[in-house]
Amino acid sequence: MLKIKIAPSILSCDFSRLADEIKRLEGAGADLVHIDVMDGNFVPNITIGPDIVKAIKDNTSLILDVHLMINEPLKLAKRFIDAGADILTFHVEAQENPLILIKEIKKANIKVGLSLKPKTPLLRIKDFLEEIDMVLIMSVEPGFGGQSFMSEVLPKIRALRKIFERDIEVDGGINDKNAKEVILAGANVIVAGSYVFRSADIRKAIESLRKCAE
Ligand code: DX5
Ligand code: ZN
């Protein structure tokens, strides 16, 4: 079985104390740090650019799991590779020919992920599964933290697990109440933003998610 990895999303952290928040995640046992990049175009929100990703890289040994929610990712991917992304995920809805970008990311010797919005069918990524390290299934409409988990994506996770043996990451609205069904459906990389950062003890929050795999 694949290792369960917990990837707190810094979208819900205190950005005025970013370095401390990243240190806090390290101390609390996070496996990855999930970084949501939004361009005000693919999604209505604007968040983090490559300079901030680089600043995070320079301050942590955690694996940087960079989730691009931007249009034309091909134009900007290199900036995030150079900034230190360890896993670079882009949306299939945003890239006409995903294979070109998959190859470019692989050439940089980092991991590549493809992401799907909740309503995008698996069919859209079927042809690329052999080429990628991870699929990120969105369980909320991308754009904002703190939304409710959409359980209608569970069948998509189950169907994907039947045909894909590598990492399946699920992102959006995950907490200690629903992480178990996400893991049972076949996910092994669990993103959680508001659940982790709004809890009084982030170590306990991360542990509670990991426990859902038992
Ligand atoms: C939403 C982002 C998520 C978000 C998750 O577009 O991709 O990573 O930060 O936050 P929660 O866990 O609060 O839904
Ligand atoms: Zn994300």
Side-chain angles (χ1 to χ4, degrees):
M1 213 185 101
L2 288 167
K3 186 177 177 273
I4 298 289
K5 289 176 257 191
I6 309 299
S9 163
I10 55 166
L11 192 59
S12 299
C13 82
D14 178 353
F15 281 117
S16 70
R17 305 171 43 247
L18 183 55
D20 293 344
E21 293 286 70
I22 304 285
K23 283 280 163 272
R24 217 150 70 88
L25 284 184
E26 270 180 25
D31 298 290
L32 316 170
V33 52
H34 185 84
I35 304 175
D36 289 306
V37 174
M38 305 186 189
D39 65 352
N41 194 345
F42 181 72
V43 289
N45 199 2
I46 301 181
T47 55
I48 290 170
D51 292 347
I52 306 289
V53 174
K54 172 144 194 336
I56 296 170
K57 183 72 178 183
D58 291 343
N59 276 283
T60 187
S61 54
L62 283 173
I63 294 166
L64 304 198
D65 174 29
V66 177
H67 177 193
L68 298 180
M69 283 160 276
I70 61 175
N71 275 332
E72 300 193 81
L74 186 59
K75 271 195 191 160
L76 289 162
K78 189 170 181 308
R79 303 272 311 273
F80 290 94
I81 292 169
D82 293 345
D86 296 292
I87 307 168
L88 191 57
T89 297
F90 63 96
H91 271 263
V92 69
E93 304 88 353
Q95 176 61 33
E96 211 171 307
N97 185 343
L99 204 53
I100 297 181
L101 184 48
I102 290 169
K103 285 194 174 145
E104 175 162 332
I105 297 171
K106 280 169 95 172
K107 238 183 5 203
N109 281 319
I110 62 169
K111 290 193 171 175
V112 56
L114 253 186
S115 183
L116 296 164
K117 293 201 228 179
K119 292 191 187 81
T120 304
L122 274 187
L123 200 63
R124 285 284 294 277
I125 59 164
K126 214 178 102 257
D127 290 346
F128 313 112
L129 292 178
E130 300 247 307
E131 307 291 332
I132 60 179
D133 300 291
M134 183 170 88
V135 175
L136 190 173
I137 294 187
M138 293 294 308
S139 44
V140 296
E141 285 301 331
F144 299 93
Q147 304 179 74
S148 299
F149 177 75
M150 298 168 69
S151 56
E152 53 267 45
V153 303
L154 288 168
K156 187 154 70 176
I157 303 169
R158 274 184 219 113
L160 177 63
R161 184 45 88 205
K162 286 197 181 124
I163 56 171
F164 188 67
E165 289 177 343
R166 300 186 194 127
D167 288 338
I168 299 180
E169 179 172 56
V170 180
D171 180 8
I174 300 184
N175 55 41
D176 61 335
K177 306 281 180 297
N178 55 29
K180 198 174 186 82
E181 52 184 347
V182 172
I183 292 167
L184 281 176
N188 67 302
V189 186
I190 304 300
V191 177
S194 47
Y195 174 66
V196 168
F197 281 101
R198 283 184 201 157
S199 59
D201 183 333
I202 67 168
R203 165 172 284 278
K204 276 197 185 140
I206 290 171
E207 269 168 20
S208 73
L209 293 172
R210 216 184 285 287
K211 267 218 174 93
C212 293
E214 286 167 9

